[in-house]
Each structure stands twice: as structure tokens, then as C-alpha cells.
Amino acid sequence: MDYVKAFITGGLICAAAQILLDRTKMMPGRVMVSLVVTGCILGALGVYQPFLEWAGAGASVPLLGFGNTLWKGVSEGIQSEGFLGIFKGGLTASAAGIGAALVFGYLGSLIFKPKMKV
């Protein structure tokens, strides 16, 4: 049942993003930034953590989950390092995910030989 909840939750988040792309004049970058900021705000309000525990990977993998991870890192950084934690906390909390995305993206580009669209 955990897989079903994760699949449906992640699908609904992605469907909402696709609706924003199709029905509004928002560019993809703005939709992505909106999802990250929404995850930060929901994390700051304390709403995202119970949702994350219920939905599992369906809520932690999309960009909402990345925003929540940034918020958790910043809040922990502020508690441990004060003002400097505002800048270091989010980077520390999300460094592994960002690093993995870069490495796997590069490996994927080596395997699949991407071409530039003209």
C-alpha cells in the first residue's frame, strides 16, 4: 500500500505542475521555483512533515520535497550556527541530492548522447 500512496501522491503533484504549465502562461522555470518555494513554506508551517510521513517517497522526491529539505537544513543551520546557518544550512542538507543529480545526469549524457535542439 505504501507504493500506491507514493505513486498517487507523486502523480498528483506532477499533474498539478503540468496543469500550471498547460493552463497558465508560467514558464517551466517559474513553475519549478514555485514548487520549491511551496515546499519551503509548507515545511515552515509544519504541514509538510506529517504529509511526508504519510505519503513517503511520493512527497519527498518531487520539487516540493526538495523545498522542504532546504527548509529543514536552514532551520537546523540557524539553531546550530546562528545567522550563518541561513546560508550554510540549505546547502548542507541538500548537497548529497544535488551532487547525485549532477553525477547521474552527466553519466546519462555519456550513455545516451544528447543532441541540442535547434
Side-chain angles (χ1 to χ4, degrees):
M1 194 61 181
D2 290 338
Y3 294 124
V4 173
K5 284 193 294 188
F7 179 77
I8 291 173
T9 303
L12 288 173
I13 292 170
C14 293
Q18 190 64 47
I19 289 169
L20 284 174
L21 288 169
D22 291 344
R23 305 278 185 204
T24 67
K25 295 184 183 212
M26 291 177 72
M27 299 300 290
R30 290 189 180 185
V31 172
M32 291 171 38
V33 168
S34 298
L35 289 170
V36 173
V37 169
T38 302
C40 288
I41 292 170
L42 292 175
L45 295 174
V47 176
Y48 203 80
Q49 191 60 36
F51 175 62
L52 179 63
E53 291 170 3
W54 178 80
S60 65
V61 174
L63 287 172
L64 287 172
F66 179 66
N68 184 49
T69 300
L70 288 175
W71 166 253
K72 285 195 295 189
V74 168
S75 64
E76 291 171 7
I78 290 171
Q79 290 175 0
S80 66
E81 299 183 32
F83 182 74
L84 192 58
I86 293 173
F87 304 104
K88 290 175 61 177
L91 295 174
T92 304
S94 62
I98 293 171
L102 290 172
V103 168
F104 290 121
Y106 179 70
L107 291 175
S109 72
L110 292 176
I111 294 168
F112 296 106
K113 308 284 187 218
K115 295 177 179 62
M116 294 295 292
K117 291 184 181 181
V118 181

